[in-house]
Amino acid sequence: MNRKYKNPPIVEALCEIQFISEKPWDLTIPGLFYEKVKELFPIREQQLGIGVLFKPTQTGIEHKIEQAPPRMQFFKTDRSALIQVAPDLLVINQLTHYPTWSKFKPTIIENLDIYNKIASPKSVKRIGLRYINKIIFAKESIELSEYFELFPNVPRELPQSQTDFTIRLEIPYLENDRMLITLGKSYPKNNEGVSIILDLYYISFNQESINIENFSNWLEHAHGSIETAFEACLKDKTRISFN
């Protein structure tokens, strides 16, 4: 069900695209890209290259922190969104004031089109669409089973309260597509109460089925899968807080 909320818990949405190129990375590409987007993303910064590598294996998706080339970042004036460009990599981030999918999706496609015309990649290696939600309860503690369909099942012989927890699921979808679902406690700020992170990350490694031409269709499928997973993890008691 496609529900609309007055106060959605999204704290960040992003689309990450990794490419395969036939030629070495041209150091002029970030500058050429900036010239195309600087009207909407005028603030230019460089970030040291540290990233997470996701690699599909027979036993699941392996991930590790690794050093990567520096990224050029282009921010909106209010820093509510940014675009990141690095060798064979494009990331579009919405940090605050999520504008609805009908507006975020065109931003992704428009910037992919700019990158494609400038860098001319051979193909797409991996695509990821990710939504990070922060759900805050103005209470000292909550019973997770009252608010979530997904929660840690603690044996009766153990104390039932947790100071911290993290649950991570990897669910297969289409060929070589995976949904990574992470639910966990985050550190509270300013006595905000109980803070829960629900991180939904849909990834495709299928190089044959994902390409720039059918990218829009893939985005719709990935976003629909994330919406379904989001609703499936919640109970109505949590949804009320978003309204």
Side-chain angles (χ1 to χ4, degrees), residues 27 78 87 96 120 133 150 179 193 195 208:
L27 295 177
D78 61 1
T96 60
S120 300
N133 303 276
L150 175 66
M179 173 87 75
S195 177
E208 295 181 358

Side-chain angles (χ1 to χ4, degrees), residues 1-5 9 133 147-150 198 200 224-236 238-239 242:
M1 182 181 295
N2 185 12
R3 292 184 170 95
K4 302 294 183 183
Y5 298 109
N133 303 276
Y147 294 88
F148 297 94
E149 296 288 355
L150 175 66
L198 176 57
L200 305 166
S225 300
I226 288 174
E227 276 195 331
T228 299
F230 176 78
E231 295 295 342
C233 290
L234 304 180
K235 288 191 173 180
D236 286 338
T238 303
R239 294 187 182 97
F242 306 153

